[in-house]
Amino acid sequence: MRGHFSRDGGRGAERAPLEKRFADEARFIRSWFENPLRAGAVSPSGRWLARMMARYVEPRGRGPIIELGPGTGSITEALLARGVDPRRLYLVEFDRNFCAHLRRRFPDVHVVEGDAYASRALLEERLKEKPAAVVSSLPLLVKPEAQRLRLLADVLSWMRPDGVFIQFTYGPASPIPRDGACGTAFRAESSPPVWLNLPPARVWVYRRASEAESLAFVRPPHPAQELIDRLRSGAEKIHVDLRRELEGAKARLSQKSRIGQPAAQARRPAPTAAPKRGRDGKPSPRA
């Protein structure tokens, strides 16, 4: 017999999640078209990736949990399914439409509209305890290396000593350079690849280094960054020298123009007066 199966039956149970997923996909695609660099991904994180990120959060621990760039809430849903108290969750989202959607979908969760890269300034006075975890879906690789390092340093110095910063990426390498100094020494570990996510992804977990590791932490010079700095410095020097040459040439031309103007006037013959004519129209004799 055809019809709408019960919740235990199958079709009816699958229809609502499927419709919700299509709606989330549509919201994400629209946001990506409006601002691809801000959205970062064309579709929300898959459930396997969301579960992998939630695995690194202690559900019964103390302290708030901050989610950066939650989008439509796929990772928020995985955190709640893991047993995290919704009152511990603070979602920082830049997109106003996503914020409205998140408030409807998760009424007991704190949703804050603002720049996730300034999450500490947004939340520090609001929170009574230091964060236990920061879960990020931000598209870090579209940002400069220095900005990524600043974000990690800001978060690690703000969190509890045992806090974790969790970030996913579609590439094989850490999205935050492990050989770069961010002001705070840190340790990084990665999850196994999440092959069932499309595209496949990996989760990176960053923790503050121990005191001994911090003392031993020395930033090795990054050859590529040094080369970029030298090129930038050289380009600025060339620009300054060229501007000075142009200004000097312009001044010399202006000076030559001022010097040559009186000489040209001296060489110019004086204008001759037109001969005076009498009443009969003939030139009058000179006096």
Side-chain angles (χ1 to χ4, degrees), residues 143-158:
K143 297 294 184 181
E145 179 181 304
Q147 188 172 1
R148 288 178 262 159
L149 290 168
R150 280 198 304 270
L151 172 67
L152 181 62
D154 204 32
V155 167
L156 290 179
S157 63
W158 178 29

Side-chain angles (χ1 to χ4, degrees), residues 145-207:
E145 179 181 304
Q147 188 172 1
R148 288 178 262 159
L149 290 168
R150 280 198 304 270
L151 172 67
L152 181 62
D154 204 32
V155 167
L156 290 179
S157 63
W158 178 29
M159 286 196 299
R160 296 161 57 96
D162 58 347
V164 291
F165 179 85
I166 304 163
Q167 172 73 46
F168 83 86
T169 183
Y170 297 120
S174 167
I176 299 177
R178 288 182 285 176
D179 59 352
C182 68
T184 303
F186 63 89
R187 292 180 288 113
E189 63 177 281
S190 68
S191 73
V194 185
W195 298 110
L196 294 176
N197 191 72
L198 292 176
R202 189 186 298 266
V203 177
W204 283 87
V205 182
Y206 304 89
R207 294 180 174 88

